[in-house]
Amino acid sequence: MFALFEDAGKFLAGRILSEAESSIQIELDSGKRVKVKAAHVLIKFDKPSPAELIADGQRLSEEIDLDLAWEFAPEGEFGFADLARDYFDAKATLSQQAGALFRLFEAPHYFRRMGKGLFKKAPAETVKAALLGIERKKQIAAQIEQWAAELAAGQCPAPIGEQIYKILFRPDKNGPEYKAVVEAAKRSQKAPLDLLKDAGAIASPYQFHWKRFLFEHFPKGTGFPALSAPEIKEELPLAPVRAFSIDDSQTTEIDDALSVQGLGTGTVVFGVHIAAPGLAIQPDSAVDKVARDRFSTVYMPGWKLTMLPDDVVQAYTLIEGRDCPAVSIYLTMDEATLEITARETKLERVPIAANLRHDKLDDVITDATLTGAAPADYDFAAELAFAYRLAKDLKAKREIVRGKPETFNRPDYNFRLEGNDGREPDGSEQVAISTRARGTALDLIVAEAMILANSSWGGILAECGVPGIYRSQASLAPGMKVRMGTKPAPHAGMGVSQYTWATSPLRRYVDLVNQWQIIACARHGKTAALAAPFKPKDAQLFSIISGFDAAYSAYNGFQSGIERYWTLKYLQQNDITELTAAVLKDGLVRADTLPLVFRALGCENLPRNSHVKVRITGLDELTLDVHANLVERLDAEAADAQAGADAESEEDEEPAGVLTLAIDVNEDGAEAPAAPTAS
């Protein structure tokens, strides 16, 4: 005796070995013995053989017209044998009964399974809807096939071209566009990025990087709604100072300026003046919502996306020749010892006498001119000399707290695009890359003044019991990162007791938030916590920190990636095929004269900081990969000199911009590489 049974959606048949009340032992044709619940056995028979019954049943199943079977089926529950007798013959054979069972089981849109071989036909509306769905699936499958064939042939269908960034980086894996790319990649044996590039879906590498960034972070476009800068309604006193700012010539969002009063009297008042959009822009206003949506200005060579509309920025920027609203902190100090004896925050109008541009003055205002070793033939000479002396003193004191000096082993790199004349770049421009040593005199003056202001305001917020957004670092131990929070805590990297970001409110949203809190302190003192926009444990502050962290990290990542793109263009445009570099780790090297970290074959086992010459063998502007080989080692076979010099910059050692795609062309679900890499 044989039995046909259902097991996990499949039909099997075999010889009955033994039967119990609730189970049956069955031997399959393969020799395997299985224990089957009695409820799962649907047909018992003595002939034909199990294999013949299943084969005949499958053949007959394909002959059953489902529409006709549905018409024949009774309204109530029925068994598969009942349908076989109605459809085939009143004396339906076992093979015909098996055929009816198989057909009913595979058509749940026509017949609902009721258990143990029983079924009930679905309502007509359900059948109609199911058939429409099946037809749609057939059409989608045909569309996927057509698109995959076009892609494999080197043509990109318009619907796929419109969604390439979604397909590659944030895909709907059930979407036909995604499935077509996966199918075409498998069929053509190409990486998805190469497939789309060869099909013309990517207009240019620059546009690919740019539009990918916009897709992820500016899906509604980069334009601003129609906004006007709110006016500052309160009467602000005019500060008795002659302030000056120090910025790059390209800077339009001038946030900060400095002033020095009382030189030669023994008591000097050092002023840090910050643009005051917080006096006009109110939390939850239209302008605030725009700023909070962006969180920060996005910088890139030849272009930027500002946090605020230009008209709004220009209303509050500290432009020379104007009395500008400002939040100022004045630090009174002994002129000889530089000991700070008092701190005071004021809301006022500050006369901005000049906007100094360090790219034009770095060679003029130097350590020698500021210390009296060389003539100082420029405006604000005395004020700058004092600010420089103060900056060096502040830095030395911070380094004592840090436990070791700050080092600037690498230069800053400036990118200039020739030919775009202020227009949005398209990637074809000639790029010039120049270096600017970090820690120049003017840099030091500005940096230390801002650290002093940010640290001082962090302390004032704490004294008034007003929450702010702080940056802290528990120690300089490896892996100990800077974190943002609402309570003051030491910043080991800076060497200060607490540190806020409050000096760039036109460019960073957290600075604007902190400025609102500082304004409350300036107006209300010890009762500021009652009037400040954000209260202690305010959930909005935590939301702002989270959103800002994510956006700021993404913007910095994009800036690094697009600078890497322009560095590769620089290599191409100047036909540079060899570079000198310093070895980092695991085959990574850092170019001596360009902002470029990449892998060079042959450098894997060299000591850190070895000096080498490498040959560039290939560049990929899409993946931003650099392929290179070691030519020769330039230094002596020495020990690992200065091995710890860059220990605080470990995260800078990974090449920026290498792509990881979200598209999956592998059956095991592993993420697909953007393209083959040299390593």
Side-chain angles (χ1 to χ4, degrees), residues 56 73 85 109 161 303 321 331 344 491 572:
D56 288 345
R85 286 188 285 271
H109 49 292
W303 194 245
L331 301 115
E344 183 179 13
H491 193 304
Q572 292 177 335

Side-chain angles (χ1 to χ4, degrees), residues 603-649:
C603 295
E604 295 84 358
N605 298 319
L606 292 180
R608 185 183 177 90
N609 288 318
S610 299
H611 201 219
V612 296
K613 178 189 286 186
V614 298
R615 179 174 293 114
I616 305 297
T617 59
L619 302 172
D620 192 322
E621 295 177 16
L622 275 179
T623 64
L624 301 178
D625 274 330
V626 176
H627 308 292
N629 296 319
L630 173 67
V631 175
E632 61 177 317
R633 182 171 176 180
L634 300 177
D635 57 350
E637 299 289 335
D640 197 0
Q642 298 180 358
D646 296 328
E648 294 176 38
S649 303

Side-chain angles (χ1 to χ4, degrees), residues 174-380:
N174 292 317
E177 295 85 1
Y178 174 86
K179 290 182 176 180
V181 173
V182 170
E183 177 59 31
K186 290 179 179 178
R187 191 175 300 178
S188 62
Q189 294 295 298
K190 291 181 179 179
L193 204 57
D194 291 334
L195 172 78
L196 291 167
K197 179 177 66 176
D198 294 344
I202 298 172
S204 74
Y206 181 84
Q207 290 300 316
F208 173 78
H209 296 299
W210 175 231
K211 290 183 178 178
R212 174 203 172 189
F213 173 73
L214 296 182
F215 165 77
E216 291 182 341
H217 301 286
F218 291 85
K220 297 180 181 179
T222 60
F224 288 102
L227 292 171
S228 58
E231 294 184 6
I232 298 173
K233 297 179 180 179
E234 66 185 286
E235 289 292 329
L236 299 173
L238 182 65
V241 300
R242 186 168 174 260
F244 55 91
S245 67
I246 304 173
D247 290 283
D248 186 89
S249 293
Q250 305 302 315
T251 301
T252 57
E253 304 149 291
I254 303 175
D255 291 287
D256 55 85
L258 307 176
S259 68
V260 181
Q261 303 173 73
L263 287 174
T265 68
T267 300
V268 172
V269 179
F270 183 70
V272 180
H273 313 282
I274 305 302
L279 290 172
I281 299 170
Q282 297 302 311
D284 295 323
S285 65
V287 178
D288 171 50
K289 289 175 181 177
V290 165
R292 182 167 177 175
D293 185 57
R294 297 201 174 193
F295 279 114
S296 172
T297 291
V298 183
Y299 295 97
M300 67 204 82
W303 194 245
K304 65 181 177 181
L305 299 176
T306 56
M307 182 179 76
L308 293 167
D310 189 60
D311 289 347
V312 175
V313 170
Q314 294 310 310
Y316 310 118
T317 188
L318 303 183
I319 192 167
E320 66 182 16
R322 209 163 70 181
D323 298 338
C324 298
V327 178
S328 303
I329 185 165
Y330 290 99
L331 301 115
T332 303
M333 58 190 69
D334 184 283
E335 188 171 5
T337 65
L338 301 179
E339 180 186 356
I340 297 173
T341 57
R343 291 175 171 83
E344 183 179 13
T345 300
K346 291 185 178 181
L347 310 179
E348 58 189 2
R349 289 179 295 125
V350 175
I352 306 299
N355 294 141
L356 305 181
R357 303 298 186 175
H358 63 63
D359 51 315
K360 296 179 179 180
L361 295 172
D362 276 343
D363 295 332
V364 177
I365 303 175
T366 63
D367 179 86
T369 65
L370 290 168
T371 57
D377 187 18
Y378 45 77
D379 201 5
F380 301 101

